[in-house]
Amino acid sequence: PLCNHAEGEPREFVERAIEIGLDEIGFSEHSPWMIQHPHEKLAPTEEEFAHYVETVQSLQREYGNNGDRSLSIRLGVEMDFVPHRLEPAREWQDKYPWDYVIGSVHHLDGWGFDNPAYKAEFGRRNIGEVYGAYFGAVVEMANTGLFDCVGHLDLIKKFGHRPDEDLTPMYRNLASHLKKADVAVELNTSGLDKDAREFYPARGMLEALAEAGVPLTMGSDAHRPQEVGRYFDRGRDLLRLLGVNEIVAWERRERRMVPL
């Protein structure tokens, strides 16, 4: 509820995870660093964010040793990539004991391309150039070393816009850069419920990542309790089909591999 575009209390997300048989759940609230236009609220304030951290830590204590209702709960954050704020962002990260930090690109030169309020801008731009600018920003973000994982890697397709050209060369180039940057990539299952109608990233991108040996993880990007773990069975089956047999989990920003 702190980000103003989600529903439910943290405890409800935990209970849903237990209900569907997950062993571990990670919370990834949007950081106060998220770019917001006037009169928008898409992320918590600094004070609200401190409350978020306290809430997750309280749930960790409560569910960490709770018999048949035990659940590992990880403290995470999703941080916007804002190139001119990198040093303050680095200092801000040190305030909290993160298990993982997700880096996401939601803006291109101030354009919030995944916000429905601004999607008409796609009709005024060359889609191929937009994709190139977006993936360029992802590479720049990965190279900062600030992030453990790239979130919803091809979010630029959220509203269904895709260039006419074959994206395979772009996918392979991006995978090569991400491998060198030593960051993981999230298979984000929420794309199936968007106009994109497929996972983030697309299968072709996943194939390039798997071939390059980029570590992968899986997230449902749940903004409501009932979305926790959505489509994980389909995501797991796809990863296995691509020869991926384990995914990344984190504790205090240290990776560990979890068998699929």
Side-chain angles (χ1 to χ4, degrees), residues 174-190:
L174 180 58
S176 175
H177 280 287
L178 296 180
K179 176 63 175 178
K180 291 177 183 176
D182 194 30
V183 294
V185 169
E186 167 196 46
L187 191 171
N188 183 315
T189 60
S190 72

Side-chain angles (χ1 to χ4, degrees), residues 42-56:
L42 300 173
T45 64
E46 285 282 4
E47 287 186 4
E48 290 172 332
F49 197 85
H51 173 67
Y52 154 70
V53 173
E54 293 169 0
T55 299
V56 173

Side-chain angles (χ1 to χ4, degrees), residues 159-186:
F159 298 116
H161 299 89
R162 293 176 175 84
D164 294 330
E165 60 262 35
D166 180 12
L167 292 174
T168 303
M170 191 178 292
Y171 288 161
R172 289 176 175 165
N173 180 61
L174 180 58
S176 175
H177 280 287
L178 296 180
K179 176 63 175 178
K180 291 177 183 176
D182 194 30
V183 294
V185 169
E186 167 196 46

Side-chain angles (χ1 to χ4, degrees), residues 131 134-135 138-139 150 152-157 166-179 185-187 198-214 216 238-239 242 244:
Y131 266 64
Y134 171 78
F135 285 134
V138 169
V139 170
V150 177
H152 40 58
L153 179 56
D154 55 357
L155 181 65
I156 197 69
K157 72 183 180 193
D166 180 12
L167 292 174
T168 303
M170 191 178 292
Y171 288 161
R172 289 176 175 165
N173 180 61
L174 180 58
S176 175
H177 280 287
L178 296 180
K179 176 63 175 178
V185 169
E186 167 196 46
L187 191 171
E198 65 179 6
F199 294 143
Y200 304 119
R203 175 165 176 161
M205 182 78 247
L206 280 171
E207 289 174 349
L209 294 167
E211 184 177 330
V214 175
L216 299 172
L238 175 57
L239 289 178
L242 299 179
V244 177

